[in-house]
Amino acid sequence: MESIQKAVRLENRWGVIVLLAFGLMIAWTDRSSMSAAMADPQFIREFALTHVERGWLGSSVFWAYGVLQLPMGWLVDRYGVKWPYAICFFLWCVAAAATGLVNSLGALLVVRVIIGAAEAVVVPATYRYIANRFEETQKGSALAIYAIGGKMGPALGAPLAAWLIAGTSWKVMFMVTGLAGLVWLLPWLLMVRNDFPDRAELAERQQHAATVPLRNLLASPVVWGGLITNFCYAYFVFFCMTWMPAYLVEQRGLSLTQAGFYTALSFCGVALGAAVSGWAADRLILRGHDAVAVRKAFMVAGFTGGMTVLFGAYASSVAVALCWNVLSLTLLGLVTTNNLALVKLTLIPRQATGLNTGLQQVATSLAGGVSASLSGWLLHVGHSYTLPMIAIFVFLFLGVTSTVVLMRRAWAPKINGPQVASAPIASTALNSSQA
């Protein structure tokens, strides 16, 4: 696989990780901009939206995102990262801009579905890149940089969208945030080496990928544990992305601009937690501590800390409620990087990275759909945001349980035949927990 080896030698892999973080940030910005629009009275009147319809609108992007995860994982395992990512990136930016041009709820749902479908490439492609370029003691740091992009997207997207809506209109906001992202494509095309395989390379990749088929993944308790932890983690994050601005405006009496600010502050907190915990876990592993035990400890602490969101639901003071909102999401950041590393890299054979990541992202996107729509229904039933926050508490407790019980090296997916790597990496052999 000479062309792939050349790509490894020539690429600035840490620079590409930063670029991938920016790509994720843009993806999240285009998703989270809808939360600011759903808190705008003019937008709600324009489409005559009910609470339930707002829930479905917030969830539509995630249903499409989930359906395409496995196909995108299959695609990047065989055809590389550069060109599938570039094509999908262009498509979702154009669809995001087109959101500002539609005039019916049906058309609005269509463009959101297109955004979700195109963004499905982001995570499988990134994990395929990290699996091929970084060893175990570097993966936490690489994922920490990448995860910052995922949290800074909502952190920047929510206040930016609120500011643009307040200063112009929701239509202009969607067009500006959608088209601005296209600037990212230029450095991507210049920095990332072409990894599209020739016929011989494609045959070799197919042979390697076949050693860990989907049935082996589905037979592994680790994979099922990852599906649960990803769902539970993402449920809280997506609630904050889709409903937090509306909660702060409707139940806590903040202005749309203030709601955007506190939503941004919460996501800055989770980004900080993700960065610090990823770096700290890598340092502990480098000193000889077991990778699985270290990452599980951070996950348990993060899920438990996130449960403090329930204190905010029952707080009588606005200031106290805001404090718990920000703190709970910040503590959840301890889960972020270590969950990503454990269930998508550390315990997963490298030749199945794309397929498994696509599978795990089905759970993540399902959480987005369920969180947005279930929260809307619970809001309709309870006439307040208390029931939606109780649901968050329950899912986070389930996340702790899954982490403790199912995340074991002995239960990792099995490899059929000889254990061969799917692509060379730019460093030494991987930690033995990869196999």
Side-chain angles (χ1 to χ4, degrees):
M1 302 177 69
E2 184 178 351
S3 64
I4 305 300
Q5 293 172 340
K6 183 178 179 181
V8 173
R9 290 195 298 269
L10 295 178
E11 275 181 352
N12 176 356
R13 57 191 179 131
W14 289 104
V16 174
I17 287 295
V18 171
L19 194 58
L20 286 166
F22 275 106
L24 182 63
M25 183 181 74
I26 294 168
W28 280 113
T29 298
D30 289 333
R31 290 181 225 174
S32 61
S33 59
M34 179 57 71
S35 66
M38 290 199 305
D40 177 28
Q42 183 179 351
F43 179 81
I44 295 172
R45 287 194 300 269
E46 177 95 13
F47 296 97
L49 296 175
T50 65
H51 289 322
V52 174
E53 287 172 336
R54 281 198 292 170
W56 280 107
L57 182 58
S59 68
S60 59
V61 68
F62 300 109
W63 297 121
Y65 184 81
V67 168
L68 270 293
Q69 285 299 310
L70 276 175
M72 288 297 185
W74 181 91
L75 183 71
V76 299
D77 273 346
R78 287 157 176 79
Y79 296 99
V81 172
K82 181 174 182 175
W83 289 109
Y85 200 128
I87 293 169
C88 290
F89 186 94
F90 177 82
L91 181 60
W92 95 58
C93 285
V94 172
T99 309
L101 303 176
V102 302
N103 54 15
S104 69
L105 179 58
L108 196 60
L109 288 169
V110 168
V111 293
R112 297 301 290 177
V113 166
I114 293 173
I115 292 171
E119 287 187 356
V121 76
V122 173
V123 178
T126 299
Y127 281 85
R128 166 50 57 195
Y129 186 87
I130 292 174
N132 287 347
R133 301 295 192 271
F134 296 89
E135 56 185 310
E136 183 63 44
T137 55
Q138 299 172 322
K139 287 174 181 175
S141 299
L143 286 168
I145 295 171
Y146 172 68
I148 289 173
K151 308 315 169 191
M152 293 307 295
L156 297 176
L160 174 63
W163 179 75
L164 286 171
I165 291 172
T168 55
S169 69
W170 64 269
K171 293 177 180 288
V172 173
M173 180 273 291
F174 281 119
M175 288 187 282
V176 169
T177 55
L179 293 176
L182 290 172
V183 175
W184 178 92
L185 273 175
L186 181 60
W188 175 259
L189 295 175
L190 292 175
M191 289 178 61
V192 181
R193 299 296 174 178
N194 183 23
D195 58 348
F196 193 87
D198 58 28
R199 184 173 298 178
E201 291 170 342
L202 178 59
E204 185 174 352
R205 290 188 188 185
Q206 290 173 334
Q207 180 182 4
H208 290 163
T211 62
V212 188
L214 180 60
R215 64 177 177 273
N216 287 25
L217 296 178
L218 295 177
S220 168
V222 165
V223 172
W224 285 100
L227 292 172
I228 295 171
T229 58
N230 277 300
F231 181 95
C232 296
Y233 170 86
Y235 186 94
F236 187 12
V237 172
F238 288 136
F239 170 84
C240 294
M241 182 183 302
T242 54
W243 282 105
M244 183 180 285
Y247 158 72
L248 295 175
V249 170
E250 296 168 3
Q251 188 155 318
R252 295 299 179 180
L254 274 61
S255 68
L256 181 58
T257 303
Q258 289 173 322
F261 170 77
Y262 282 104
T263 301
L265 193 60
S266 297
F267 279 98
C268 285
V270 76
L272 178 63
V276 171
S277 62
W279 176 86
D282 277 359
R283 301 287 76 74
L284 290 171
I285 295 168
L286 191 60
R287 292 177 183 178
H289 295 281
D290 180 70
V292 175
V294 168
R295 300 201 189 280
K296 284 177 67 170
F298 277 101
M299 290 172 64
V300 170
F303 276 126
T304 304
M307 293 180 195
T308 59
V309 68
L310 204 56
F311 295 147
Y314 289 102
S316 56
S317 163
V318 173
V320 173
L322 291 173
C323 177
W324 284 117
N325 282 357
V326 174
L327 181 61
S328 61
L329 199 59
T330 300
L331 292 174
L332 187 73
L334 300 177
V335 177
T336 309
T337 303
N338 292 288
N339 178 57
L340 298 178
L342 194 61
V343 304
K344 296 179 181 178
L345 296 172
T346 301
L347 291 174
I348 302 300
R350 188 155 48 116
Q351 52 266 52
T353 299
L355 183 61
N356 174 70
T357 299
L359 181 61
Q360 296 294 335
Q361 286 303 112
V362 171
T364 300
S365 53
L366 179 63
V370 172
S371 179
S373 53
L374 178 59
S375 297
W377 181 78
L378 291 173
L379 176 61
H380 172 73
V381 171
H383 306 290
S384 78
Y385 286 84
T386 301
L387 285 180
M389 291 188 179
I390 291 174
I392 292 170
F393 180 91
V394 171
F395 282 117
L396 293 181
F397 179 80
L398 180 60
V400 171
T401 304
S402 176
T403 301
V404 173
V405 175
L406 297 176
M407 297 302 172
R408 304 182 184 184
R409 185 177 281 107
W411 291 347
K414 304 302 181 184
I415 301 175
N416 297 339
Q419 299 185 16
V420 290
S422 60
I425 59 172
S427 55
T428 60
L430 293 175
N431 185 288
S432 61
S433 62
Q434 284 290 115

